[in-house]
PDB file of all heavy atoms in Angstrom:
ATOM      1  N   ILE A 109      96.301  89.607 102.684  1.00  0.00           N
ATOM      2  CA  ILE A 109      97.066  89.249 103.828  1.00  0.00           C
ATOM      3  C   ILE A 109      97.080  90.443 104.852  1.00  0.00           C
ATOM      4  O   ILE A 109      96.926  90.252 106.039  1.00  0.00           O
ATOM      5  CB  ILE A 109      98.529  88.894 103.404  1.00  0.00           C
ATOM      6  CG1 ILE A 109      98.479  87.720 102.488  1.00  0.00           C
ATOM      7  CG2 ILE A 109      99.377  88.619 104.683  1.00  0.00           C
ATOM      8  CD1 ILE A 109      99.816  87.417 101.812  1.00  0.00           C
ATOM      9  N   ILE A 110      97.184  91.652 104.295  1.00  0.00           N
ATOM     10  CA  ILE A 110      97.231  92.825 105.122  1.00  0.00           C
ATOM     11  C   ILE A 110      95.892  93.025 105.853  1.00  0.00           C
ATOM     12  O   ILE A 110      95.860  93.386 107.065  1.00  0.00           O
ATOM     13  CB  ILE A 110      97.549  94.104 104.266  1.00  0.00           C
ATOM     14  CG1 ILE A 110      98.985  94.081 103.779  1.00  0.00           C
ATOM     15  CG2 ILE A 110      97.292  95.411 105.066  1.00  0.00           C
ATOM     16  CD1 ILE A 110      99.301  95.171 102.786  1.00  0.00           C
ATOM     17  N   MET A 111      94.815  92.760 105.195  1.00  0.00           N
ATOM     18  CA  MET A 111      93.486  92.980 105.776  1.00  0.00           C
ATOM     19  C   MET A 111      93.068  91.831 106.725  1.00  0.00           C
ATOM     20  O   MET A 111      92.193  91.984 107.532  1.00  0.00           O
ATOM     21  CB  MET A 111      92.443  93.106 104.689  1.00  0.00           C
ATOM     22  CG  MET A 111      92.597  94.338 103.798  1.00  0.00           C
ATOM     23  SD  MET A 111      92.789  95.867 104.742  1.00  0.00           S
ATOM     24  CE  MET A 111      91.193  95.936 105.556  1.00  0.00           C
ATOM     25  N   HIS A 112      93.681  90.704 106.559  1.00  0.00           N
ATOM     26  CA  HIS A 112      93.271  89.454 107.264  1.00  0.00           C
ATOM     27  C   HIS A 112      93.070  89.644 108.757  1.00  0.00           C
ATOM     28  O   HIS A 112      92.053  89.233 109.310  1.00  0.00           O
ATOM     29  CB  HIS A 112      94.214  88.306 106.910  1.00  0.00           C
ATOM     30  CG  HIS A 112      93.784  87.032 107.502  1.00  0.00           C
ATOM     31  ND1 HIS A 112      94.355  86.444 108.613  1.00  0.00           N
ATOM     32  CD2 HIS A 112      92.783  86.191 107.150  1.00  0.00           C
ATOM     33  CE1 HIS A 112      93.758  85.314 108.935  1.00  0.00           C
ATOM     34  NE2 HIS A 112      92.826  85.097 108.047  1.00  0.00           N
ATOM     35  N   PRO A 113      94.071  90.194 109.474  1.00  0.00           N
ATOM     36  CA  PRO A 113      93.906  90.281 110.950  1.00  0.00           C
ATOM     37  C   PRO A 113      92.760  91.165 111.424  1.00  0.00           C
ATOM     38  O   PRO A 113      92.341  91.087 112.564  1.00  0.00           O
ATOM     39  CB  PRO A 113      95.236  90.822 111.433  1.00  0.00           C
ATOM     40  CG  PRO A 113      95.968  91.302 110.239  1.00  0.00           C
ATOM     41  CD  PRO A 113      95.363  90.700 109.022  1.00  0.00           C
ATOM     42  N   PHE A 114      92.219  91.973 110.451  1.00  0.00           N
ATOM     43  CA  PHE A 114      91.176  92.894 110.845  1.00  0.00           C
ATOM     44  C   PHE A 114      89.787  92.366 110.505  1.00  0.00           C
ATOM     45  O   PHE A 114      88.782  93.022 110.713  1.00  0.00           O
ATOM     46  CB  PHE A 114      91.383  94.278 110.195  1.00  0.00           C
ATOM     47  CG  PHE A 114      92.721  94.848 110.580  1.00  0.00           C
ATOM     48  CD1 PHE A 114      93.832  94.660 109.821  1.00  0.00           C
ATOM     49  CD2 PHE A 114      92.835  95.484 111.809  1.00  0.00           C
ATOM     50  CE1 PHE A 114      95.106  95.209 110.213  1.00  0.00           C
ATOM     51  CE2 PHE A 114      94.084  96.005 112.243  1.00  0.00           C
ATOM     52  CZ  PHE A 114      95.202  95.858 111.420  1.00  0.00           C
ATOM     53  N   LEU A 115      89.746  91.139 110.009  1.00  0.00           N
ATOM     54  CA  LEU A 115      88.427  90.481 109.752  1.00  0.00           C
ATOM     55  C   LEU A 115      87.919  89.956 111.046  1.00  0.00           C
ATOM     56  O   LEU A 115      88.635  89.672 111.984  1.00  0.00           O
ATOM     57  CB  LEU A 115      88.601  89.359 108.764  1.00  0.00           C
ATOM     58  CG  LEU A 115      89.109  89.735 107.339  1.00  0.00           C
ATOM     59  CD1 LEU A 115      89.365  88.484 106.528  1.00  0.00           C
ATOM     60  CD2 LEU A 115      88.035  90.619 106.668  1.00  0.00           C
ATOM     61  N   LYS A 116      86.540  89.724 111.072  1.00  0.00           N
ATOM     62  CA  LYS A 116      85.969  89.060 112.239  1.00  0.00           C
ATOM     63  C   LYS A 116      86.581  87.693 112.339  1.00  0.00           C
ATOM     64  O   LYS A 116      86.788  87.017 111.318  1.00  0.00           O
ATOM     65  CB  LYS A 116      84.480  88.924 112.072  1.00  0.00           C
ATOM     66  CG  LYS A 116      83.711  90.235 112.062  1.00  0.00           C
ATOM     67  CD  LYS A 116      82.196  89.995 112.249  1.00  0.00           C
ATOM     68  CE  LYS A 116      81.370  90.881 111.467  1.00  0.00           C
ATOM     69  NZ  LYS A 116      80.889  90.571 110.162  1.00  0.00           N
ATOM     70  N   PRO A 117      86.771  87.164 113.588  1.00  0.00           N
ATOM     71  CA  PRO A 117      87.409  85.888 113.774  1.00  0.00           C
ATOM     72  C   PRO A 117      86.708  84.783 113.003  1.00  0.00           C
ATOM     73  O   PRO A 117      87.389  83.931 112.375  1.00  0.00           O
ATOM     74  CB  PRO A 117      87.223  85.583 115.293  1.00  0.00           C
ATOM     75  CG  PRO A 117      87.213  86.960 115.907  1.00  0.00           C
ATOM     76  CD  PRO A 117      86.561  87.883 114.864  1.00  0.00           C
ATOM     77  N   ASP A 118      85.384  84.808 112.840  1.00  0.00           N
ATOM     78  CA  ASP A 118      84.646  83.822 112.097  1.00  0.00           C
ATOM     79  C   ASP A 118      85.015  83.809 110.603  1.00  0.00           C
ATOM     80  O   ASP A 118      84.937  82.806 109.941  1.00  0.00           O
ATOM     81  CB  ASP A 118      83.130  84.021 112.204  1.00  0.00           C
ATOM     82  CG  ASP A 118      82.616  83.665 113.600  1.00  0.00           C
ATOM     83  OD1 ASP A 118      83.356  82.993 114.317  1.00  0.00           O
ATOM     84  OD2 ASP A 118      81.505  84.032 113.938  1.00  0.00           O
ATOM     85  N   ASP A 119      85.402  84.988 110.133  1.00  0.00           N
ATOM     86  CA  ASP A 119      85.672  85.118 108.681  1.00  0.00           C
ATOM     87  C   ASP A 119      87.148  84.812 108.361  1.00  0.00           C
ATOM     88  O   ASP A 119      87.471  84.654 107.190  1.00  0.00           O
ATOM     89  CB  ASP A 119      85.376  86.528 108.194  1.00  0.00           C
ATOM     90  CG  ASP A 119      83.885  86.862 108.212  1.00  0.00           C
ATOM     91  OD1 ASP A 119      83.086  85.859 108.152  1.00  0.00           O
ATOM     92  OD2 ASP A 119      83.514  88.021 108.318  1.00  0.00           O
ATOM     93  N   GLN A 120      87.960  84.794 109.404  1.00  0.00           N
ATOM     94  CA  GLN A 120      89.372  84.691 109.146  1.00  0.00           C
ATOM     95  C   GLN A 120      89.797  83.374 108.502  1.00  0.00           C
ATOM     96  O   GLN A 120      90.635  83.325 107.555  1.00  0.00           O
ATOM     97  CB  GLN A 120      90.221  84.923 110.437  1.00  0.00           C
ATOM     98  CG  GLN A 120      90.254  86.400 110.758  1.00  0.00           C
ATOM     99  CD  GLN A 120      91.176  86.727 111.943  1.00  0.00           C
ATOM    100  OE1 GLN A 120      91.829  85.819 112.470  1.00  0.00           O
ATOM    101  NE2 GLN A 120      91.196  87.994 112.342  1.00  0.00           N
ATOM    102  N   GLN A 121      89.215  82.257 108.985  1.00  0.00           N
ATOM    103  CA  GLN A 121      89.613  80.945 108.470  1.00  0.00           C
ATOM    104  C   GLN A 121      89.180  80.809 106.998  1.00  0.00           C
ATOM    105  O   GLN A 121      89.917  80.361 106.123  1.00  0.00           O
ATOM    106  CB  GLN A 121      88.985  79.824 109.306  1.00  0.00           C
ATOM    107  CG  GLN A 121      89.500  78.426 108.919  1.00  0.00           C
ATOM    108  CD  GLN A 121      91.015  78.343 108.718  1.00  0.00           C
ATOM    109  OE1 GLN A 121      91.832  78.935 109.418  1.00  0.00           O
ATOM    110  NE2 GLN A 121      91.384  77.667 107.647  1.00  0.00           N
ATOM    111  N   LYS A 122      87.990  81.313 106.679  1.00  0.00           N
ATOM    112  CA  LYS A 122      87.435  81.302 105.327  1.00  0.00           C
ATOM    113  C   LYS A 122      88.383  82.106 104.391  1.00  0.00           C
ATOM    114  O   LYS A 122      88.641  81.734 103.270  1.00  0.00           O
ATOM    115  CB  LYS A 122      86.040  81.969 105.341  1.00  0.00           C
ATOM    116  CG  LYS A 122      85.004  81.271 104.482  1.00  0.00           C
ATOM    117  CD  LYS A 122      83.615  81.774 104.659  1.00  0.00           C
ATOM    118  CE  LYS A 122      83.454  83.271 104.589  1.00  0.00           C
ATOM    119  NZ  LYS A 122      82.039  83.723 104.578  1.00  0.00           N
TER     120      LYS A 122
END
Side-chain angles (χ1 to χ4, degrees):
Chain A
I109 300 167
I110 291 171
M111 295 309 297
H112 183 257
F114 301 96
L115 296 174
K116 293 195 216 95
D118 289 344
D119 292 335
Q120 283 187 3
Q121 188 43 42
K122 221 170 48 170

